[in-house]
Structures are given as structure tokens and as C-alpha cells.
Amino acid sequence: MVSRARSARGGKERSRQASCLTQLVRAQVLAMQAYPVPSAAGLLKLDAMESPAPFSAELKQQWLTRLGEVEINRYPDPQCKSVKRALRAAFKIPAAHAIVLGNGSDELLQMLALLVGGPGRVMLAPTPTFSMYPCISAITASQFVGVPLRADFSLDGEALLAAIRQHQPACVLLAYPNNPSGNCFDEAVIEQILASAPGLVVLDEAYFAFCRRSFLAHLAQFPDLLVLRTLSKSGLAGLRLGMLLCHPDWAAQLEKVRLPYNINSLTQCSVQFYLEHYRAMQRQAEYIVAQRQAVFARLTDQPGLRAYPSEANFILLKLERDAEQVHARLQQHGVLIKNLHRAATPLENCLRVTIGSEAENNRFLQALRRSLQ
Ligand SMILES: *Cc1c(COP(=O)(O)O)cnc(C)c1O
């Protein structure tokens, strides 16, 4: 470092020393792109499955009072005991199952990959699916195997079971409902996977609040099943809290991989506050589900596109024309949704819209009509 700094100060024709970056960073990571988050400045943000509703003014005041009581000079409770108690009660999690908490469920997926992934280990998922699965596989030096879904995004059970036999994955990842397609995979096929997979099976129930279907009850029967949930899609995206429900033996191993204070004091305090108002949050989710049905009906009447039925808080659209152009026009009309278009894939000309408030959804539908003209 010292000699580099000196030569930098010296003569005009200082040549730059070659960096070791391309030797040290694994090719798998060099080939990746950091997770892109487009700016939503000035736009109606319907691209990231966030809840449209912040706390009411009254709740916000109570919440701020509670946050004021947090001793920010102290480390947080590393075991998150009170938070786990509150989560157990709200989500009716039997005492036999352990809870591991993460800074978002993304972090829990990373902890899982650190625990059972690595060179020579396979993470397998039906595709297209949540973009973080291949991403987390790559950063943990695991191999990602994607098994194509059918054209209607349903699970190809035969292909999936054959791929599991062939690749012997350390971990099978199933988003339930799937992102970005919005459908829940066939329960009987998932049960076959649970019965035959040689490794872990993760049921990622990120959209549980809008679907209410769960594999939680299967935990008692399948010790290598893990159920993943998050509070991000139902009002707390900014807080980052994910939870993994699993056999205590798996939790004990995951606790070794977890950084000790990954859930900060403000998050712990806020989640407890949120869960005291869980009924109101559930009503908010019911409102989103009703809005989803209304938006879906209107999209079905809209010529020039196909809307896929969804059990989540978003809807996947396939356009009969250039989706990138429509996506850009929507932005000109002030609405940001997610562009999923990839030529020559099942997501060709696909866009994904998050369900917002009634007024937001109407703005989106109007902007879409104009963008398709
Ligand atoms: C959004 C999403 C997550 C990530 O949630 P965080 O808790 O915010 O990290 C996980 N899985 C799926 C399928 C998602 O769509």
C-alpha cells in the first residue's frame, strides 16, 4: 500500500499497478451483478411487493414512544426471546418447532447455503423463481440447478423428481406461492419431493399473509423440511425480519452460522409492537387479497395481455407485444412495476405488478390501458 501511494504521487507517467481482483474473486461471483434496485423517485412504486400502508398516525406515535425506550447503547438480545414468544403466539407455531430469525428471509437463505452449500453442493429449484436463490448459491460457491416449470408455471413433478435423483441436492427451494408466477405448486407433488429428497427442502412462504396455505403442519412428519416466512410483504419491508421454522436440531446448527446480533434492537422492539396489532395487519392483508381479485378481473378484461391467477400480493402479466416498451411507457405515466422480460424464456414479455391500495391500483390500470394503446 505504501509503495503504491508513493508511486501515485510520483511522476506523470505513473502506471497503475495490476489488481489481484480477477485472480481472487471467484469466476462465479465475477459473472454476477449486484442486486439491482431501480429508483422509484416520483413514481408510484408497485415493483417490490411492499405493503401500500404505513402505520396510522396514532400507531406511529405509540411505536415511536416504544422505540424511545430501547437502550441503544446495549447490544440487542441475541436470542430474541420476546420476539420469538410473540411470533409463536401470532403464527401459532407449536413448541416442538424451533425458530431461527434472520435480517430478512434472504439472510436465512444465505445461512442455509453457508451451512449445507459450498463447492460440490447443489441447490435446486424449479425456475423461474425468486432471483435470490441462484444468487445466494453463487456467493456461497454452491451449484444452482434450475428445473423448468411448465408453460403455465405449474410444477413438472416428473422432471423435478428426476433432477433430484440426478443431482442429489443439498437443498431444494420451493417458493409457495412462487415468485414471480404467483401460483402455489401442487401439494401432492411437494409431498413426493419431501418423501424423496436426500437433503433439505425449504418451503419459502414469503406470501403466507395473502394465501394462508402452509406446510407448517408437515414439520412434525419431515425433520428435513424447513418453513421460511417473512414480515416484509405484510407491512414491514423496511425492518428486515425473516423467520425459519424447523426441527430444533437444524436450528442448533444454523445458530452457529448466524451472526450473534443479526436482529437489531430497533427491529426487535418494532416487531413486538407490530405483533400487538397483528389483527389490524391481517385485515390489511385481507384488503390486499380483495384488491388482487378486483385487479385480476379487470386485467382479464384487458385485451393484449394474459394475467396469471395469483395467491400472493402481485400479479404476473404476459403481454402480446414488446413488454419493455410498455414498461417504459408505464414509467412515463408515473408507475413503476417490475420488468421480467427475458427473450426466449417463459418470462418473455412478462411484467409483474404489486397490488397496492384501491386508488393506486386504479392508477396502474389506467396507466396500463394508455401504455397499451
Ligand atoms: C420477497 C421474497 C423473499 C425475501 O424476503 P425478505 O424477508 O425481505 O428478505 C423471500 N422469498 C421470496 C419468494 C420472496 O418473494
Side-chain angles (χ1 to χ4, degrees), residues 1-9 17:
M1 279 316 279
V2 173
S3 70
R4 243 190 257 187
R6 261 192 213 132
S7 75
R9 262 182 267 122
Q17 218 178 313

Side-chain angles (χ1 to χ4, degrees), residues 44-62:
L44 169 57
K45 193 171 177 346
L46 296 177
D47 67 330
M49 281 78 103
E50 292 147 326
S51 159
F55 287 159
S56 66
E58 190 197 343
L59 275 189
K60 191 172 233 170
Q61 216 39 59
Q62 295 174 19

Side-chain angles (χ1 to χ4, degrees), residues 47-218:
D47 67 330
M49 281 78 103
E50 292 147 326
S51 159
F55 287 159
S56 66
E58 190 197 343
L59 275 189
K60 191 172 233 170
Q61 216 39 59
Q62 295 174 19
W63 172 48
L64 290 175
T65 305
R66 290 277 285 278
L67 285 178
E69 291 160 10
V70 171
E71 288 188 43
I72 207 71
N73 57 315
R74 302 288 176 200
Y75 280 107
D77 170 9
Q79 300 307 328
C80 301
K81 287 179 291 291
S82 333
V83 175
K84 285 184 186 171
R85 241 192 324 274
L87 287 167
R88 253 186 215 290
F91 293 101
K92 302 191 170 53
I93 301 159
H97 312 319
I99 305 178
V100 185
L101 297 182
N103 187 351
S105 49
D106 287 351
E107 193 193 35
L108 288 162
L109 289 164
Q110 187 183 56
M111 283 160 55
L112 276 169
L114 287 170
L115 188 68
V116 303
R121 299 289 181 89
V122 168
M123 316 284 279
L124 185 145
T127 52
T129 191
F130 185 40
S131 62
M132 288 309 288
Y133 298 165
C135 176
I136 284 168
S137 303
I139 61 180
T140 56
S142 321
Q143 186 197 344
F144 180 79
V145 172
V147 182
L149 292 166
R150 295 203 190 101
D152 63 354
F153 300 110
S154 67
L155 211 51
D156 184 342
E158 233 167 85
L160 198 70
L161 291 166
I164 289 172
R165 271 195 302 278
Q166 182 191 344
H167 295 284
Q168 298 287 303
C171 183
V172 176
L173 299 154
L174 300 169
Y176 185 85
N178 189 38
N179 172 10
S181 48
N183 56 318
C184 279
F185 298 136
D186 188 274
E187 208 176 303
V189 179
I190 295 178
E191 280 172 352
Q192 274 179 287
I193 296 167
L194 284 170
S196 63
L200 293 177
V201 179
V202 176
L203 262 291
D204 181 348
E205 300 181 344
Y207 300 94
F208 172 73
F210 315 101
C211 147
R212 310 301 297 179
R213 292 214 252 157
S214 174
F215 273 78
L216 185 63
H218 287 68

Side-chain angles (χ1 to χ4, degrees), residues 331-372:
Q331 283 196 52
Q332 284 158 13
H333 290 299
V335 180
L336 179 66
I337 69 171
K338 178 86 169 178
N339 177 12
L340 296 164
H341 170 73
R342 285 270 200 92
T345 74
L347 290 178
E348 181 152 35
N349 289 323
C350 281
L351 302 175
R352 186 193 64 203
V353 62
T354 302
I355 303 300
S357 67
E358 185 174 10
E360 290 173 341
N361 300 332
N362 286 336
R363 258 184 77 192
F364 158 70
L365 289 163
Q366 189 178 37
L368 180 67
R369 246 187 334 271
R370 288 186 183 153
S371 304
L372 286 169

Side-chain angles (χ1 to χ4, degrees), residues 24-36:
L24 286 184
V25 180
R26 282 179 295 105
Q28 219 178 356
V29 175
L30 280 175
M32 290 172 63
Q33 288 189 347
Y35 189 74

